[in-house]
Amino acid sequence: MKKVALLALVLFCACEGILSPVNLDEPFFLNFGEKVLTPDNLCIEFQQVLEESRCPSDAICVWAGRARIGLLLQTAADSVQVELAIPGFVAQSDTLAHQPVDTIGYRITLLQLDPYPQSDRQPRDSDYRALLKISRLVR
């Protein structure tokens, strides 16, 4: 029965190929364009880099800037676009600076976005990978 439910979700998510599994409450990397699946059948896709205004690591700026990404979250019952942001010069260990988003029964947090900008190189969208953490909200 679990295999049938998983297959239905994979078809529902329009996820081609084999999905990488990720665990809830554990940080994981998601590359631009990649789709992953949690044990409770939440499909997560990194769809867009919406903004990259973080101060380059080799520059001095008045404002640290920020980066914003767009994800698609899908369950058998819901599908929602989520925008996550991270301020400049924030890493995984800077937990007070993270800005979680709560939606469809989950809390998702962008912990880090790589590569960090440098003044001599502007990354392409396909270069990006997000370090995310997702947790189930208690109801």
Side-chain angles (χ1 to χ4, degrees), residues 9 30 59 73 76 108 111 138:
L9 181 67
L30 184 61
L73 305 180
I108 188 159
L111 303 174
V138 178

Side-chain angles (χ1 to χ4, degrees), residues 84-114:
L84 297 172
I86 191 165
F89 302 113
V90 170
Q92 179 181 355
S93 60
D94 301 324
T95 57
L96 294 178
H98 297 145
Q99 304 164 356
V101 171
D102 295 346
T103 185
I104 63 170
Y106 294 92
R107 170 168 287 163
I108 188 159
T109 308
L110 176 59
L111 303 174
Q112 186 173 308
L113 185 63
D114 297 326

Side-chain angles (χ1 to χ4, degrees), residues 39-77:
D40 56 349
N41 295 327
L42 173 67
C43 185
I44 306 162
E45 179 183 3
F46 183 173
Q47 291 189 317
Q48 297 176 292
V49 177
L50 300 167
E51 177 183 354
E52 176 58 278
S53 65
R54 294 177 293 175
C55 179
S57 60
D58 58 346
I60 298 173
C61 303
V62 176
W63 183 54
R66 71 175 178 176
R68 293 182 307 124
I69 64 170
L71 303 178
L72 177 64
L73 305 180
Q74 291 181 305
T75 66

Side-chain angles (χ1 to χ4, degrees), residues 5-57:
L6 180 60
L7 178 61
L9 181 67
V10 169
L11 294 174
F12 177 78
C13 289
C15 295
E16 296 178 12
I18 298 172
L19 296 177
S20 300
V22 297
N23 293 320
L24 295 175
D25 303 313
E26 293 180 15
F28 63 93
F29 280 103
L30 184 61
N31 295 319
F32 181 83
E34 185 181 14
K35 299 173 187 180
V36 295
L37 189 65
T38 67
D40 56 349
N41 295 327
L42 173 67
C43 185
I44 306 162
E45 179 183 3
F46 183 173
Q47 291 189 317
Q48 297 176 292
V49 177
L50 300 167
E51 177 183 354
E52 176 58 278
S53 65
R54 294 177 293 175
C55 179
S57 60

Side-chain angles (χ1 to χ4, degrees), residues 32 46 49 52 114-115 121-129:
F32 181 83
F46 183 173
V49 177
E52 176 58 278
D114 297 326
R121 185 174 81 88
Q122 179 63 36
R124 296 181 312 266
D125 286 356
S126 60
D127 295 333
Y128 283 96
R129 73 180 193 157

